[in-house]
Amino acid sequence: MALSTNRTVNQLLKPLTAAISATRCLSSDSTSIITVESSLPFTSHKIDPPSRAVETSPNELMTFFKDMAEMRRMEIAADSLYKAKLIRGFCHLYDGQEAVAVGMEAAITKKDCIITAYRDHCIYLARGGGLYESFAELMGRKDGCSKGKGGSMHFYKKESGFYGGHGIVGAQVPLGIGLSFAQKYSKEEHVTFAMYGDGAANQGQLFEGLNMAALWDLPAILVCENNHYGMGTAEWRAAKSPAYYKRGDYVPGLKVDGMDALAVKQACKFAKEHALKNGPIILEMDTYRYHGHSMSDPGSTYRTRDEISGVRQERDPIERIRKLILAHDVATEKELKDIEKEKRKVVDEAIAKAKESPMPDPSDLFTNVYVKGFGVEVFGPDRKEVRATLP
Amino acid sequence: MAGIIGRTMATAKLSNLNKFLVGSRVSASRTYSSAAKEMTVRDALNSALDEEMSADPKVFVMGEEVGEYQGAYKITKGLLDKYGPERVLDTPITEAGFTGIGVGAAYYGLKPIIEFMTFNFSMQAIDHIINSAAKSNYMSAGQISVPIVFRGPNGAAAGVGAQHSQCYAAWYGACPGLKVLAPYSSEDARGLLKAAIRDPDPVVFLENELLYGESFPVSAEALDSSFSLPIGKAKAKREGKDVTITAFSKMVGYALKAAEILDKEGISAEVINLRSIRPLDRPAINASVRKTNRLVTVEEGFPQHGVGAEICASVVEESFEYLDAPVERITGADVPMPYAANLERLAVPQIEDIVRAAK
């Protein structure tokens, strides 16, 4: 039962408060520019890092707060639903990592693509997905974003550039590089963010894909969400070199405080500009998940509760934005609390509605096997009983 | 009727060519000029690729040596010069990587043709073929379709040993979400490859190295650039009434020759070229068995859980009362492919095996 060493615990608990130094802006104009320094300078590999000074606005800070509050509530609600057995199978929760999702979204458009692994609920929300569609999918209902056919690990929103939702560790990285290939082939000035974890960072296919991305100058941005644990295995036990931003070797990399939405935004903006001109780049987001790997993992056998609560206290992404909002008089304490209450309500309503929604029709067992089925006969478990023709 | 007679005559003449099959790449014999134009399978595939790439700018080819080398088996010859390096991509030897990239490009809406130098190497990428390609349309309830073709030589070549000789028809044929095609003649090759490229679903296209150099007559219709063959439909290559022989790819040629021999002994065999492993043309197979009442399945691959096993099960389920005898399976031997020529010959079906089974 390996626990993280003191060295890594200290690295995880870099204090939040020391980092907020910003020019005070007393204007309440929602689009006025506020410049905030990121919590830490960016560490880089084979590239000059972007500036620590991030431009934001009251609007953007409020959007960050609202979106992250909604994501946080959704994941916590999913925890309860899973324990109530309304969600089955696998459920991998993202609470703690919200800043990566919202920061990335702030730097890009819906024409840029995102692909990730199975911890995908919040990325789906960030890309414009709905709470109702999320809960319906988690509970296996026909109104789910994948009509109940996918489940927690298979959320997609192609029209917003979200390509899932993948269950096989590491597979999404070459797929994401393929998306960037298609973007370049189609002569579009857009990029793909292929997200993966510290566990997947050692996958061979990642390096195979990265090699081709670099050879062909593809606009691919590999984003390692380093939450320091690949399931139950701490990064230092899985990787000889846990400096994931350097693992691209000939591909430049940037290490980013993934709990700081503004730093994430700055890094993603920088990466997009780079990728469009110079090909692939790796972003390592130093982040943390409060839950275990999945709902079947308590998350406390391989790390201490002190570590978890320490990160929550020192580095929570929502708290960081709350402090910034208050420091800049963008909103009052009460207004923020009201937003959180509102989000709680919205999530509860979505769940109530999803609970009432119907399961898929039995005939849906046989739909979408192919786009074009040629009227071929398909069988259920008893070949003489359940049959259908594929359209 | 004339068409069938013409075809059986052509295959009889081809039996001389088959003696030169092992290890060589013999191109078209011009001994008879009366038949329609002849084309090697290699040229058939090449022309199909060329025409589909010309017709749809979203189609591109990716694989090892497909560009500057002109294709390991010259199937992609000339395509780099014609379409440029953006559409004909030479990859490093990284199947998992480039197959994933191909599937990702298909997610976005392009139409990749991924070449595996042989399907043995597809095992390095099989997760992308099954989990990333075959299942995506279903898991996403139709949002993410994958219009990709995975093609390359499948099955035994000559003397290439155990790691380079496996037939993957049964494995890929088992997976819902995939379509699996296996052409035999040049018309099959042209028509099925064109259909595969145009198809919106992932298609595994199993070619055969030893067939690449073989010539077949092609009709004027098949030479037209809009030609394609339906997916999921088998073809009766030879009509008969005493026994049905099903086969695909190279074994179709063997089955036809076996039918010739049987014919001399008064047994009329119906040879079915499956063309499509998935969807399997169960109606055609069953209709044939209901007519002849006997079935021999032929394949090159391993026997257990093979294509023949599936055909046998289907016939037993659908046409049990029509069978006058148990179904016979002729398959590759249940061993890894040996190298020694005599052992290799024993590991792969021979024409005598098919004849014996039919009797």
Side-chain angles (χ1 to χ4, degrees), chain B residues 21-188:
Chain B
L21 252 184
V22 177
S24 69
R25 315 239 185 290
V26 178
S27 57
S29 138
R30 312 233 191 280
T31 51
Y32 56 106
S33 55
S34 55
K37 177 165 183 232
E38 287 232 316
M39 197 183 232
T40 60
V41 171
R42 174 179 289 114
D43 289 340
L45 294 168
N46 184 272
S47 61
L49 290 170
D50 190 352
E51 286 161 22
E52 294 304 303
M53 285 183 78
S54 171
D56 186 348
K58 292 199 169 131
V59 177
F60 69 93
V61 175
M62 188 186 270
E64 294 155 14
E65 311 298 357
V66 296
E68 293 189 10
Y69 196 84
Q70 307 296 327
Y73 299 99
K74 304 292 176 270
I75 308 297
T76 52
K77 185 170 178 189
L79 296 179
L80 176 64
D81 281 341
K82 195 166 172 188
Y83 297 104
E86 281 172 16
R87 294 183 70 193
V88 180
L89 291 117
D90 281 323
T91 64
I93 309 173
T94 50
E95 276 78 6
F98 69 72
T99 308
I101 288 178
V103 176
Y107 282 179
Y108 197 79
L110 297 185
K111 299 179 122 190
I113 301 170
I114 302 297
E115 175 172 306
F116 290 116
M117 200 178 279
T118 75
F119 264 92
N120 301 284
F121 314 137
S122 73
M123 290 201 285
Q124 308 232 294
I126 202 166
D127 175 61
H128 281 298
I129 298 173
I130 311 290
N131 281 324
S132 304
K135 297 179 184 170
S136 282
N137 197 58
Y138 191 84
M139 290 193 296
S140 68
Q143 267 191 81
I144 311 279
S145 66
V146 192
I148 194 168
V149 175
F150 303 104
R151 52 158 291 274
N154 174 61
V160 291
Q163 291 179 341
H164 288 75
S165 305
Q166 191 164 332
C167 174
Y168 292 86
W171 285 14
Y172 288 126
C175 295
L178 279 185
K179 291 170 179 165
V180 181
L181 301 176
Y184 164 61
S185 67
S186 301
E187 274 204 21
D188 283 354

Side-chain angles (χ1 to χ4, degrees), chain A residues 248-268:
Chain A
D249 184 13
Y250 41 82
V251 169
L254 209 61
K255 183 163 173 167
V256 185
D257 179 359
M259 308 298 259
D260 177 353
L262 291 168
V264 172
K265 173 185 136 172
Q266 185 87 321
C268 290

Side-chain angles (χ1 to χ4, degrees), chain B residues 275-307:
Chain B
R275 281 184 172 171
S276 185
I277 306 295
R278 185 175 185 103
L280 195 58
D281 195 346
R282 293 171 216 278
I285 298 166
N286 277 284
S288 174
V289 172
R290 287 178 185 208
K291 193 173 73 170
T292 65
N293 309 120
R294 286 176 157 79
L295 175 61
V296 175
T297 68
V298 186
E299 67 197 288
E300 259 193 345
F302 298 136
Q304 193 163 338
H305 313 296
V307 175

Side-chain angles (χ1 to χ4, degrees), chain A residues 145-146 149 154 156-158 168 171 175 178-179 185 188 205 208 212 365 367-368 370-372 374 383-384, chain B residues 57 87 94 96-98 100-101 104 107-108 127-128 137-139 141 143 177-179 199 201 278 317:
Chain A
C145 50
S146 299
K149 307 267 279 271
H154 304 294
Y156 306 85
K157 201 166 167 61
K158 188 171 174 180
I168 307 296
L175 293 172
L179 291 171
Y185 187 100
E188 295 178 13
Q205 59 185 320
E208 292 189 14
M212 284 180 267
L365 178 64
T367 56
N368 305 123
Y370 296 116
V371 172
K372 214 164 152 189
F374 302 110
R383 290 169 82 88
K384 304 229 181 282
Chain B
R87 294 183 70 193
T94 50
F98 69 72
I101 288 178
Y107 282 179
Y108 197 79
D127 175 61
H128 281 298
N137 197 58
Y138 191 84
M139 290 193 296
Q143 267 191 81
L178 279 185
K179 291 170 179 165
D199 196 273
D201 292 307
R278 185 175 185 103
E317 280 164 3

Side-chain angles (χ1 to χ4, degrees), chain B residues 153-156 166-173 180-185 188 192 204-208 211 216 233-235 237 245-256 271-281 285 296-303 305-311 330-332 348-349 354:
Chain B
N154 174 61
Q166 191 164 332
C167 174
Y168 292 86
W171 285 14
Y172 288 126
V180 181
L181 301 176
Y184 164 61
S185 67
D188 283 354
L192 292 176
V204 170
F205 195 81
L206 303 172
E207 301 161 4
N208 186 295
L211 282 179
F216 295 85
K233 295 269 172 269
K235 172 119 188 176
K237 286 287 282 182
I245 306 178
T246 62
F248 61 94
S249 189
K250 183 147 156 290
M251 291 293 120
V252 175
Y254 281 32
L256 287 169
V271 175
I272 297 196
N273 173 6
L274 292 174
R275 281 184 172 171
S276 185
I277 306 295
R278 185 175 185 103
L280 195 58
D281 195 346
I285 298 166
V296 175
T297 68
V298 186
E299 67 197 288
E300 259 193 345
F302 298 136
H305 313 296
V307 175
E310 172 62 30
I311 293 175
I330 296 297
T331 70
V348 180
I354 305 173

